[in-house]
mmCIF file of all heavy atoms in Angstrom:
data_model
loop_
_atom_site.group_PDB
_atom_site.id
_atom_site.type_symbol
_atom_site.label_atom_id
_atom_site.label_comp_id
_atom_site.label_asym_id
_atom_site.label_seq_id
_atom_site.Cartn_x
_atom_site.Cartn_y
_atom_site.Cartn_z
ATOM 1 N N GLY D 1315 -13.630 7.391 -22.347
ATOM 2 C CA GLY D 1315 -14.801 6.607 -21.842
ATOM 3 C C GLY D 1315 -14.466 5.097 -21.823
ATOM 4 O O GLY D 1315 -15.450 4.327 -21.496
ATOM 5 N N PRO D 1346 5.521 -14.349 5.809
ATOM 6 C CA PRO D 1346 6.609 -15.267 5.801
ATOM 7 C C PRO D 1346 7.545 -14.907 6.948
ATOM 8 O O PRO D 1346 7.594 -13.776 7.352
ATOM 9 C CB PRO D 1346 7.288 -15.050 4.426
ATOM 10 C CG PRO D 1346 6.814 -13.673 3.974
ATOM 11 C CD PRO D 1346 5.525 -13.416 4.600
ATOM 12 N N GLU D 1367 -0.203 -1.878 7.943
ATOM 13 C CA GLU D 1367 0.119 -2.660 6.812
ATOM 14 C C GLU D 1367 -0.949 -3.795 6.671
ATOM 15 O O GLU D 1367 -1.447 -3.995 5.454
ATOM 16 C CB GLU D 1367 1.543 -3.218 6.869
ATOM 17 C CG GLU D 1367 2.554 -2.122 6.720
ATOM 18 C CD GLU D 1367 3.998 -2.700 7.087
ATOM 19 O OE1 GLU D 1367 4.079 -3.776 7.559
ATOM 20 O OE2 GLU D 1367 4.939 -1.910 6.918
ATOM 21 N N PHE D 1385 -4.480 7.183 2.257
ATOM 22 C CA PHE D 1385 -3.885 8.281 2.959
ATOM 23 C C PHE D 1385 -3.118 7.976 4.144
ATOM 24 O O PHE D 1385 -1.903 8.495 4.355
ATOM 25 C CB PHE D 1385 -4.998 9.329 3.231
ATOM 26 C CG PHE D 1385 -4.533 10.655 3.927
ATOM 27 C CD1 PHE D 1385 -3.997 11.618 3.015
ATOM 28 C CD2 PHE D 1385 -4.639 10.889 5.248
ATOM 29 C CE1 PHE D 1385 -3.488 12.812 3.569
ATOM 30 C CE2 PHE D 1385 -4.203 12.075 5.730
ATOM 31 C CZ PHE D 1385 -3.612 13.020 4.914
ATOM 32 N N GLY D 1410 18.063 1.488 1.176
ATOM 33 C CA GLY D 1410 16.977 0.538 1.289
ATOM 34 C C GLY D 1410 15.553 1.001 1.319
ATOM 35 O O GLY D 1410 14.696 0.348 1.609
ATOM 36 N N PHE D 1419 4.164 7.038 -2.801
ATOM 37 C CA PHE D 1419 3.526 7.723 -3.843
ATOM 38 C C PHE D 1419 2.515 6.925 -4.593
ATOM 39 O O PHE D 1419 1.514 7.459 -5.157
ATOM 40 C CB PHE D 1419 4.636 8.125 -4.877
ATOM 41 C CG PHE D 1419 5.386 9.318 -4.340
ATOM 42 C CD1 PHE D 1419 6.525 9.262 -3.652
ATOM 43 C CD2 PHE D 1419 4.781 10.633 -4.518
ATOM 44 C CE1 PHE D 1419 7.195 10.343 -3.129
ATOM 45 C CE2 PHE D 1419 5.418 11.811 -4.063
ATOM 46 C CZ PHE D 1419 6.619 11.621 -3.372
ATOM 47 N N VAL D 1425 -5.184 7.871 -3.269
ATOM 48 C CA VAL D 1425 -5.974 8.949 -2.579
ATOM 49 C C VAL D 1425 -6.672 9.773 -3.658
ATOM 50 O O VAL D 1425 -7.835 10.162 -3.498
ATOM 51 C CB VAL D 1425 -5.104 9.746 -1.591
ATOM 52 C CG1 VAL D 1425 -5.827 10.997 -1.109
ATOM 53 C CG2 VAL D 1425 -4.579 8.915 -0.454
ATOM 54 N N GLY D 1428 -8.713 7.044 -6.469
ATOM 55 C CA GLY D 1428 -9.608 6.105 -5.994
ATOM 56 C C GLY D 1428 -9.179 4.612 -6.304
ATOM 57 O O GLY D 1428 -8.020 4.430 -6.565
ATOM 58 N N ALA D 1438 -20.942 -1.836 -1.763
ATOM 59 C CA ALA D 1438 -21.686 -1.433 -0.492
ATOM 60 C C ALA D 1438 -22.583 -0.214 -0.658
ATOM 61 O O ALA D 1438 -23.558 -0.183 0.041
ATOM 62 C CB ALA D 1438 -20.626 -1.094 0.596
#
Side-chain angles (χ1 to χ4, degrees):
E1367 290 164 353
F1385 182 75
F1419 283 95
V1425 170

